[in-house]
Amino acid sequence: TDQMDLHSEESDKDSNTVWLFHGTSTEAAALITRGDFLVDKAGSNAGTLYGRGIYLAESCSKSDEYSRENADGHRCILLCRATLGNILYNDEVSPNIDCLLRQIHDKRYHS
């Protein structure tokens, strides 16, 4: 199979820890890997459809859409270990952001 198992043997099933992808610019990747993600920079590259936060994807081809080609023609995608907790899943094309945020702030969901 070409698909990577997002849950590895080091994963914690109770906290829903998985491996996900994050597409970004080379410059932003360098800053992230030297420090951490900065939530206050969230959406500065591609917007914030689901509100402020760190956007990760199961598919590297989805993350590639958010990466930027550098001077050498390369794109940067980070492989990130993420603890998701209890997920609020939504596949609506135009989600009601206020409703999603209310559900998250009600503490039923972590991500």
Side-chain angles (χ1 to χ4, degrees):
T1 178
D2 330 341
Q3 249 187 357
M4 182 177 113
D5 181 14
L6 300 176
H7 290 93
S8 70
E9 57 275 355
E10 304 103 37
S11 295
D12 177 359
K13 302 282 188 205
D14 292 332
S15 63
N16 198 11
T17 301
V18 297
W19 292 97
L20 298 171
F21 300 98
H22 178 76
T24 190
S25 67
T26 303
E27 296 79 17
L31 292 170
I32 292 166
T33 57
R34 279 198 298 265
D36 204 349
F37 284 95
L38 299 176
V39 176
D40 62 334
K41 299 285 186 190
S44 58
N45 181 37
T48 54
L49 176 62
Y50 295 102
R52 294 174 57 82
I54 299 163
Y55 286 68
L56 303 168
E58 295 175 83
S59 168
C60 63
S61 61
K62 182 64 174 177
S63 291
D64 181 60
E65 295 175 23
Y66 296 93
S67 65
R68 291 189 194 151
E69 194 171 295
N70 66 19
D72 296 325
H74 300 139
R75 292 177 174 268
C76 189
I77 297 176
L78 301 175
L79 179 60
C80 306
R81 187 171 183 206
T83 301
L84 304 176
N86 189 22
I87 299 171
L88 172 59
Y89 178 79
N90 182 290
D91 62 1
E92 297 173 34
V93 174
S94 298
N96 180 326
I97 302 304
D98 291 332
C99 180
L100 293 176
L101 291 175
R102 261 193 314 279
Q103 291 178 61
I104 291 170
H105 291 298
D106 286 345
K107 309 282 190 239
R108 290 181 292 181
Y109 302 99
H110 305 112
S111 61

